[in-house]
Amino acid sequence: MSVGAAAGASGEQGLKAERVADQAKSRRRSTKAEQRAETMEQILDEAENLFSKHGLHGVTLKDVAKRVGVHHTLLNYYFADKKTLFDAVFARRAVVTSTRRMEALDVYDRATAGKPTIEGALHAFLDTDLDLYIHGGEGWKNYGALSAQVANTPEWGAEMMDSHFDPVVLRLIDLLKKAMPDCAAEDIFWGYHFVTGALMVTLARTGRIDKLSGGICRSEDFEAIKARMAAFMAAGFRQICSAKSV
Amino acid sequence: MSVGAAAGASGEQGLKAERVADQAKSRRRSTKAEQRAETMEQILDEAENLFSKHGLHGVTLKDVAKRVGVHHTLLNYYFADKKTLFDAVFARRAVVTSTRRMEALDVYDRATAGKPTIEGALHAFLDTDLDLYIHGGEGWKNYGALSAQVANTPEWGAEMMDSHFDPVVLRLIDLLKKAMPDCAAEDIFWGYHFVTGALMVTLARTGRIDKLSGGICRSEDFEAIKARMAAFMAAGFRQICSAKSV
DNA sequence: CCTCTTATTCACTCTCTAGTTAGTTAATAT
DNA sequence: ATATTAACTAACTAGAGAGTGAATAAGAGG
């Protein structure tokens, strides 16, 4: 479950479809199980790449197949249909980031012996995630952009986020409640709402902040986010909670 | 340029395609110019509704046409192609919210005689926008959800946001700089980044916070956001700026 | 070596989609 | 009143797109 594991076969940026096809051919010399795993992973990688850029409806199975260098019906063989493929793409890394953050929160909770700080909890939650995108390679970056889209998709976005992230998020909120025992649950939830919104635009990496700031800030610069976000949000929490409890 | 103006013909929630078609027939008794304007507006309303829920690629011209009760090629008559229609949908309300906020910021700047506060500037920026969604009816709500999608679309999202909102946003940042003269531009831009992210999830109204909070918070409750967001974000700005300037 | 299974492709089907061109009806201007 | 223009529809094209079921090829197991 290392970062590299799920990032796996995704050193693909400059590869043309043909080259990928060649690789597919030469890869044939492996066992069936390996073949299956590798092909599926390649499909997931390319689908992730395209979905992250054009969305579910903006990508055709043929587009994905072409990039992988296989016939497009093979995608139906491995994944029942397009939406199933999309779900698989999302789930693959969602479970990784979800469990990692859960662990980080548990560790932090134990380390502080049940006396967490707002900032500490947020750091555990955010940094663990951001590190994945910083060190996980192209695949994780694509997944991040995909998440941002999913989180803002009214149709099935909330459902999809819920099913993967509710446990971690509730764990975070649990810690925040401990850190702010006098704060109304309502305020904590709205605070989390702001946090997740800020995180999602970050992951979207649309490049908007680059132009807006005239190059001072860069969308890709997750380190800058890491350095600021937890402190920023913690101050926000303190503010809206103190307004009522004091 | 009132809220009602752009919200116009959008009291359409429960109408069946047939009924709309009937209306279209009876509407014929007006002048050509009126007819044109009304039909275009109806097309924009229905397109907005569908685009906001399914995205650009998730909607077909036929879907839109059916809802309006006209032949689908009429959409090609009024709008060159699908993307042009989408742009028109977005632009219609983008100019409204953009100019409104610009005015609000100008008014606030004058009222404070060049000595703005962080919170004041954020209130002018955010509340003016949120009021539109609160009082503007279904159409504005749909537009809000659409914005959230656009803002997180890597393909052309940033471009689209830039072209409509750069002036207002830079005006806001200008006020924030005045309010925090010792703060690094970098920090202010990242702070704005967080603000816009939080605003966008809000507008997306996916319902995620509802389930997550067990009903304590509701996605639709923009008043709750209005009551908290400016204060929350202002505290965040103060925090990340003080960390360096003090 | 032969059978069984699995990976992969092929040849189609069926439906939808954007968009064009030509035509129809109704308002407008003279 | 009539010629012109604008709003709108019908018919059609050309091409995707997702998905199916049969065919093939290559391993794996006995």
Side-chain angles (χ1 to χ4, degrees), chain A residues 52-55 57-59 119 145 148-155 157-159 161-163 165-166 169-170 173 177 185-187 189-209 211-214 216-221 224-225 227-229 231-240 244, chain B residues 52-55 57-59 119 145 148-155 157-159 161-163 165-166 169-170 173 177 185-187 189-209 211-214 216-221 224-225 227-229 231-240 244:
Chain A
S52 76
K53 289 173 179 62
H54 313 291
H57 300 295
V59 175
E119 211 156 333
Q149 281 184 241
V150 169
N152 287 282
T153 297
E155 294 186 83
E159 232 172 299
M161 297 296 284
D162 288 350
S163 71
F165 300 125
D166 269 10
V169 173
L170 290 171
I173 288 184
K177 280 180 177 167
E186 202 186 344
D187 291 316
F189 279 111
W190 282 125
Y192 168 74
H193 174 81
F194 297 146
V195 169
T196 201
L199 182 57
M200 289 305 133
V201 242
T202 300
L203 300 186
R205 292 177 311 137
T206 62
R208 174 149 163 70
I209 197 73
K211 277 184 257 173
L212 196 68
S213 70
I216 296 176
C217 303
R218 287 167 303 107
S219 268
E220 312 285 334
D221 188 4
I225 299 290
R228 288 167 179 83
M229 189 162 165
F232 185 104
M233 296 295 160
F237 273 107
R238 262 176 255 124
Q239 175 66 38
I240 62 173
K244 307 219 162 168
Chain B
S52 76
K53 288 173 180 62
H54 313 291
H57 299 296
V59 175
E119 212 156 333
Q149 281 185 240
V150 169
N152 286 283
T153 298
E155 293 184 85
E159 232 171 299
M161 296 297 283
D162 288 349
S163 71
F165 299 125
D166 270 10
V169 172
L170 290 171
I173 288 183
K177 280 180 177 167
E186 202 185 344
D187 291 315
F189 279 113
W190 283 125
Y192 168 74
H193 175 81
F194 297 146
V195 169
T196 201
L199 182 57
M200 289 304 132
V201 242
T202 300
L203 300 186
R205 292 176 311 137
T206 62
R208 175 151 163 67
I209 197 74
K211 277 184 258 172
L212 196 69
S213 70
I216 296 176
C217 303
R218 289 168 302 109
S219 268
E220 312 286 335
D221 189 4
I225 300 289
R228 288 167 179 83
M229 189 163 166
F232 185 103
M233 297 295 160
F237 272 108
R238 262 176 254 126
Q239 175 65 37
I240 61 174
K244 308 220 162 167

Side-chain angles (χ1 to χ4, degrees), chain B residues 84-105:
Chain B
T84 304
L85 171 61
F86 189 94
D87 290 346
V89 165
F90 189 78
R92 178 172 61 152
R93 298 193 206 266
V95 299
V96 176
T97 178
S98 186
T99 52
R100 281 211 164 204
R101 283 187 286 178
M102 188 64 99
E103 282 163 18
L105 290 171

